[in-house]
Amino acid sequence: VQLQASGGGLVQPGESLRLSCAASGSIFRVNDMGWYRQAPGKQRELVALISRGGSPNYGDFVKGRFSISRDNTKNTVYLEMNSLKPEDTAVYYCYADTRRFYSETYDPYWGQGTLVTVSS
């Protein structure tokens, strides 16, 4: 299973970015998908998760600025980030709780990370 993330980059404070992450490979089903982030010198933290049924769960710092969505037909998750702040600067990692064909268990998979830099 591979997770391919895209959409990171450099933006100014107050601007927006949209991240995408597509899961591919020998996938039977994907449950939770979402994003974590890690800033230099800090622990990885939850940004947002979304269940297969579309129920979101956000980190406390999001406070209505971000919106997560998914397309189950494409095994793809999106993160719309608005009103970005310098403290949002981090590497954003895609996550998918995935069951492969011929497996009876769900396992966590991670993308390679995409850098988001918010700076003037």
Side-chain angles (χ1 to χ4, degrees):
V1 175
Q2 298 83 39
L3 300 184
Q4 182 65 49
S6 61
L10 172 63
V11 296
Q12 295 190 347
E15 294 186 338
S16 299
L17 270 180
R18 187 181 194 229
L19 305 182
S20 300
C21 177
S24 63
S26 181
I27 296 172
F28 176 75
R29 190 180 183 94
V30 181
N31 273 348
D32 289 352
M33 297 188 78
W35 300 88
Y36 288 74
R37 72 183 188 182
Q38 188 166 18
K42 295 188 176 181
Q43 291 188 332
R44 190 172 294 191
E45 63 179 347
L46 170 69
V47 178
L49 283 176
I50 185 168
S51 70
R52 183 170 182 82
S55 297
N57 180 28
Y58 296 100
D60 291 341
F61 63 87
V62 170
K63 296 180 180 179
R65 298 183 298 127
F66 298 175
S67 178
I68 190 169
S69 60
R70 66 187 286 172
D71 183 338
N72 290 334
T73 66
K74 298 179 180 179
N75 288 327
T76 299
V77 62
Y78 308 95
L79 183 68
E80 187 75 33
M81 302 187 292
N82 301 311
S83 302
L84 283 162
K85 306 174 181 180
E87 51 263 43
D88 293 317
T89 296
V91 178
Y92 284 68
Y93 294 94
C94 177
Y95 166 87
D97 188 30
T98 305
R99 178 179 171 184
R100 295 174 297 160
F101 286 111
Y102 310 115
S103 173
E104 295 184 356
T105 63
Y106 286 85
D107 299 300
Y109 288 88
W110 295 89
Q112 80 283 7
T114 185
L115 178 62
V116 172
T117 303
V118 185
S119 175
S120 56

